[in-house]
Amino acid sequence: MHRAYQPITPANNLYLKQNWDRDVYRYHRKRVQAAKAVIDNHPPKTYMHLHIKLKKLQIEDERLAIIEKDNRILIEKMAHIMRTGGRVDNVKHDYCRKSLNKTKRYRELLRITYENLAILKRINSREPHYNHIKWAGEWQINRKYMMNITKYPNHWHTTLQPIIQEGQREANRKIKSRLLFNI
């Protein structure tokens, strides 16, 4: 549906007023397009000395030069050994290790062993303070008392074990089925 032009300000000729308003709007849009930002939103300048890091490259080159120098020296030594067969044979088969304090350590070990044997002898010669045979008899009497006052027979849990296991299996099945349906 066509709507008639309605100027904001009064005008004698609506056609001319519409053209003028359109020109004013175009001029406004052109100025908005050409407007420059007051705030600088450009990315900062990139300086090459921040990205290349010449000192780091120099240190790396020096490290590589040292490694190459060490490798060259090792190669020269290996070549000399290969040409001459080496100078010294360091393998000596008739050498046996000697310790300066071997006898002292041996005497210390003997002393500790004798002390341990003496402690063991004292422990074994001492009569026990508690009578374990008396305790075992008292335990048997206490078990009889417990059997007299219990609600269930002595081995009721072993007869119910298969029933309890079946109940646990059924509960596990129900839990698994609930989990499967909830997913």
Side-chain angles (χ1 to χ4, degrees):
M1 178 195 262
H2 177 70
R3 292 184 61 186
Y5 175 70
Q6 296 292 326
I8 296 173
T9 56
N12 292 335
N13 189 339
L14 289 178
Y15 179 70
L16 284 175
K17 182 64 175 168
Q18 184 179 9
N19 284 340
W20 290 339
D21 286 345
R22 190 181 305 128
D23 289 342
V24 168
Y25 179 70
R26 285 183 189 145
Y27 178 69
H28 166 72
R29 293 301 302 160
K30 195 184 297 180
R31 289 191 64 201
V32 168
Q33 292 274 334
K36 292 185 179 177
V38 177
I39 298 171
D40 182 20
N41 59 359
H42 295 291
K45 292 181 181 178
T46 57
Y47 298 103
M48 293 310 292
H49 72 278
L50 296 176
H51 294 288
I52 292 180
K53 296 185 172 117
L54 295 174
K55 185 66 177 179
K56 185 177 179 183
L57 291 174
Q58 178 186 1
I59 291 170
E60 183 69 21
D61 287 342
E62 289 173 359
R63 189 178 69 84
L64 290 175
I66 291 170
I67 290 172
E68 286 179 13
K69 179 184 171 190
D70 291 342
N71 286 343
R72 185 177 42 78
I73 291 170
L74 283 173
I75 289 173
E76 287 175 3
K77 288 180 180 178
M78 288 173 58
H80 175 71
I81 290 170
M82 293 298 286
R83 279 193 313 267
T84 62
R87 289 180 286 183
V88 179
D89 184 13
N90 290 333
V91 179
K92 190 172 183 183
H93 297 288
D94 62 342
Y95 177 76
C96 61
R97 294 184 180 184
K98 300 176 184 100
S99 175
L100 295 176
N101 62 351
K102 181 178 179 182
T103 56
K104 181 181 178 188
R105 285 188 287 122
Y106 183 70
R107 274 189 256 127
E108 183 70 17
L109 180 65
L110 285 176
R111 184 187 63 80
I112 292 171
T113 305
Y114 288 134
E115 286 178 2
N116 288 342
L117 286 173
I119 292 171
L120 180 64
K121 189 175 181 181
R122 284 198 309 262
I123 290 173
N124 287 336
S125 66
R126 182 83 172 125
E127 287 295 322
H129 185 69
Y130 299 110
N131 188 354
H132 67 280
I133 298 171
K134 182 180 171 187
W135 280 4
E138 290 175 358
W139 172 243
Q140 292 300 325
I141 294 169
N142 284 336
R143 284 190 68 192
K144 286 180 187 176
Y145 291 153
M146 286 191 303
M147 291 308 296
N148 289 336
I149 62 173
T150 57
K151 184 175 183 179
Y152 298 105
N154 189 13
H155 300 290
W156 67 274
H157 54 83
T158 56
T159 58
L160 293 178
Q161 195 67 25
I163 298 169
I164 293 170
Q165 288 176 351
E166 182 60 35
Q168 287 175 347
R169 284 191 209 113
E170 186 64 31
N172 288 341
R173 278 191 226 118
K174 287 181 182 178
I175 291 171
K176 286 180 185 176
S177 64
R178 286 183 196 157
L179 290 174
L180 290 175
F181 288 124
N182 288 340
I183 292 174

